[in-house]
Amino acid sequence: MSKKKILLAGESWVSTSTHIKGFDQFPTATYHTGADELLAALKDSAFDITFMPAHEAQRHFPQNIEALSAYDAVVLSDIGANTLLLHPDTWIHSKPTPNRLRLLRDYVQSGGGLLMFGGYFSFQGINGGARYRKTPVEDVLPVECLAFDDRVEVPEGYTPVVTGAADHPILQGLGTQWPILLGYNEVTLKPGAEVLATVSSDYGSQPLLVTGTYGKGRTVAWTSDVGPHWLPPGFIAWDGYKKLFEQMLVWATTKG
């Protein structure tokens, strides 16, 4: 049986630093990826995952429905809307290019799966910079984005609260005792969305794991991260870490 194909876009960044030593100084630049733990956990899963770092996605994210349809589901994780809107041909050369947020809406309408995982450039993001509010991607998600910076930092940690039925395909075998998380993106629910888990009551029992449908497709919102810093080592080491994300993908790619 062939594996289902998943496109994971985002989860990369470049950091620059200036080192000052008395009179002298020098700059350095380092490249980082944030999905290493998730990709390692899903290496031997039922999915063939193509990881497209954010800087590659700006140019190489599919530009037509045929190319998108090669994947059973698309995951957007810590990648802002501008990266998909501003292909280099438009940004640098002022040439019209396809609106890839509209393509994603059409893709889900036709039966594709779409998952958004949280982070500083997910949903509305840091300083509102992820900018998915009032876009075609928000149209298909089971949640709505805020109009401003939606990050909620929880340095003391919070314990997720499972609210969905234990036999839901995404929750099977996970139990109700999940490790702590250190933050999330605040969102609001759409009518008809199904909430499977929330943050703790200390933070208003806000949505953590939500599912929905759009046209023939299925969508998932996970408002925390897939790795550090919102997912501490204890969550990644948890037996349910792989199962949780694998079962999200299974549900999102199931037809009907």
Side-chain angles (χ1 to χ4, degrees):
M1 183 177 178
S2 61
K3 293 187 174 185
K4 292 183 177 180
K5 295 184 179 297
I6 308 295
L7 175 60
L8 169 58
E11 288 297 340
S12 75
W13 64 95
V14 174
S15 298
T16 60
S17 299
T18 300
H19 304 255
I20 301 173
K21 298 185 176 184
F23 181 86
D24 299 299
Q25 61 177 292
F26 65 93
T28 60
T30 51
Y31 172 70
H32 308 269
T33 54
D36 297 350
E37 293 84 0
L38 181 63
L39 292 172
L42 296 177
K43 182 177 180 181
D44 298 319
S45 70
F47 298 97
D48 177 10
I49 300 178
T50 297
F51 174 46
M52 185 178 289
H55 65 281
E56 294 182 9
Q58 186 177 12
R59 178 177 293 278
H60 297 298
F61 192 91
Q63 295 192 74
N64 56 62
I65 198 69
E66 292 77 19
L68 268 179
S69 296
Y71 300 98
D72 296 283
V74 174
V75 180
L76 300 179
S77 188
D78 212 351
I79 180 172
N82 280 327
T83 299
L84 301 182
L85 289 169
L86 294 173
H87 187 283
D89 285 349
T90 297
W91 172 239
I92 298 172
H93 303 293
S94 298
K95 296 179 180 179
T97 52
N99 185 321
R100 290 179 286 192
L101 303 188
R102 290 183 177 179
L103 285 175
L104 281 168
R105 181 178 60 192
D106 295 344
Y107 165 77
V108 177
Q109 175 81 43
S110 300
L114 179 66
L115 304 91
M116 181 172 285
F117 298 155
Y120 272 30
F121 276 93
S122 299
F123 301 101
Q124 198 68 356
I126 186 169
N127 300 323
R131 187 57 181 85
Y132 283 102
R133 178 176 167 83
K134 295 188 180 299
T135 68
V137 164
E138 187 192 52
D139 289 346
V140 307
L141 290 174
V143 297
E144 292 182 344
C145 302
L146 303 185
F148 42 82
D149 191 325
D150 61 6
R151 295 168 305 124
V152 181
E153 303 289 348
V154 188
E156 74 277 21
Y158 67 89
T159 301
V161 178
V162 177
T163 57
D167 61 351
H168 189 284
I170 294 179
L171 299 176
Q172 286 181 0
L174 294 175
T176 59
Q177 301 301 311
W178 294 11
I180 66 167
L181 297 166
L182 300 177
Y184 61 96
N185 298 89
E186 184 178 352
V187 295
T188 59
L189 293 173
K190 288 183 179 177
E194 183 175 10
V195 182
L196 301 183
T198 71
V199 305
S200 67
S201 59
D202 289 344
Y203 285 84
S205 300
Q206 294 180 24
L208 174 64
L209 176 57
V210 186
T211 63
T213 59
Y214 185 87
K216 298 178 180 179
R218 291 182 168 190
T219 59
V220 177
W222 166 256
T223 63
S224 194
D225 214 330
V226 300
H229 77 279
W230 282 348
L231 253 65
F235 200 101
I236 296 167
W238 175 44
D239 289 342
Y241 174 66
K242 173 183 177 180
K243 186 176 292 186
L244 172 63
F245 287 99
E246 186 172 22
Q247 290 177 176
M248 285 187 209
L249 292 173
V250 170
W251 185 86
T253 56
T254 300
K255 303 298 182 182

